[in-house]
């Protein structure tokens, strides 16, 4: 880690602590991906330096170097970062002590739209990578050869990953449940209440009927009377 800091200092880049991701928090995964993606060039240089005959366990070092000094590795890191940025923002919204249903559903819809667009409209970080490597140039001071087939493979992987995320989101946030939450928000959120007395007397009657059908244990007549 000290050598990595030294290399980043020489290259005048920000030193980030590489954190261990956890399986249950988008935030920790995002931070880990950002740290590795931004330190990728220095990691490659460090491994190349450690791969010298007198550096010790060169077999492991060479194996790691072969894995990470590839377009596949860095491009998928960029894809992960492009995907995780909107997901992390959405996750933070749902971690608040007090959640406004309207804000939460809006954030969820925005996140879905952002992620869904990625396979056809490349994210910021993958676009920057491809632009840097165009015409044989380097990315983070590392030269890589990239083919159109490799780019297509990355896009296909991105599409598959995004599809899996969309499927999981559909399971966790079913459309019917989200519709009911929006109706509850309209009914119970004070900021939606009308000011006029006459409008207030009849406000939410149709929404209440819909909710009574969704929750059959509450009798419609009783709900309307209450």
């Amino acid at each position: 880690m000290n050598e990595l800091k030294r290399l980043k200092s020489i290259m005048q880049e920000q030193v980030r602590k590489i954190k261990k991701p956890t399986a249950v928090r988008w935030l920790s995964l995002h931070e880990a991906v950002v740290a590795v993606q931004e330190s990728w060039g220095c990691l490659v240089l460090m491994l190349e330096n450690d791969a010298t005959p007198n550096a010790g366990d060169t077999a492991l070092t060479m194996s790691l170097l072969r894995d990470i000094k590839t377009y596949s590795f860095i491009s998928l890191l960029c894809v992960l970062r492009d995907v995780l940025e909107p997901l992390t923002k959405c996750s933070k919204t749902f971690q608040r002590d007090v959640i406004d249903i309207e804000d939460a559903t809006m954030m969820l819809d925005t996140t879905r739209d952002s992620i869904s667009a990625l396979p056809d409209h490349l994210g910021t970080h993958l676009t920057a990578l491809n632009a840097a490597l165009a015409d044989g140039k380097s990315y983070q001071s590392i030269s890589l050869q990239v083919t159109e087939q490799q780019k297509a493979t990355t896009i296909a992987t991105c599409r598959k990953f995004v599809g899996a995320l969309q499927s999981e989101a559909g399971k966790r946030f079913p459309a019917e449940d989200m519709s009911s939450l929006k109706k509850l928000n309209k009914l119970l959120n004070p900021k939606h209440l009308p000011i006029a007395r006459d409008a207030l007397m009849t406000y939410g009657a149709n929404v209440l009927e819909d909710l009574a059908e969704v929750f059959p244990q509450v009798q419609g007549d009783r709900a309307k009377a209450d």
Side-chain angles (χ1 to χ4, degrees), residues 44-211:
V44 170
L45 292 175
M46 184 181 70
L47 289 172
E48 286 179 337
N49 183 63
D50 289 346
T52 57
N54 298 324
D57 191 356
T58 57
L60 176 59
T61 302
M62 289 299 297
S63 177
L64 288 172
L65 185 59
R66 282 193 298 268
D67 287 339
I68 76 168
K69 192 182 178 181
T70 62
Y71 176 79
S72 175
F73 182 88
I74 186 58
S75 66
L76 290 179
L77 266 181
C78 290
V79 167
L80 273 175
R81 187 169 179 182
D82 286 329
V83 170
L84 288 171
E85 283 181 351
L87 276 178
T88 299
K89 291 179 182 178
C90 186
S91 177
K92 288 180 178 179
T93 298
F94 281 87
Q95 290 175 25
R96 295 174 183 168
D97 293 333
V98 178
I99 302 176
D100 185 297
I101 295 176
E102 188 173 3
D103 291 344
T105 53
M106 186 181 301
M107 174 60 76
L108 187 61
D109 290 341
T110 300
T111 302
R112 281 174 167 167
D113 291 342
S114 298
I115 293 174
S116 298
L118 285 176
D120 298 313
H121 301 85
L122 302 187
T124 302
H125 301 289
L126 184 57
T127 298
L129 170 67
N130 288 340
L133 293 177
D135 302 322
K137 297 178 182 177
S138 64
Y139 179 73
Q140 294 185 13
S141 302
I142 304 298
S143 297
L144 284 179
Q145 296 297 322
V146 55
T147 65
E148 291 303 316
Q149 179 59 45
Q150 288 175 312
K151 291 181 181 179
T153 299
T154 295
I155 297 301
T157 303
C158 176
R159 194 179 303 279
K160 185 176 180 180
F161 181 42
V162 167
L165 287 174
Q166 290 174 320
S167 177
E168 186 63 27
K171 294 176 183 177
R172 296 193 180 193
F173 304 98
E176 292 183 0
D177 290 356
M178 297 307 296
S179 176
S180 297
L181 281 175
K182 290 178 181 178
K183 290 174 181 177
L184 281 169
N185 183 60
K186 182 178 180 180
L187 187 66
L188 302 176
N189 193 331
K191 72 179 183 181
H192 294 304
L193 294 177
I195 298 176
R197 184 175 182 277
D198 292 342
L200 186 61
M201 293 296 293
T202 58
Y203 177 77
N206 58 332
V207 173
L208 194 56
E209 290 179 358
D210 292 340
L211 289 172

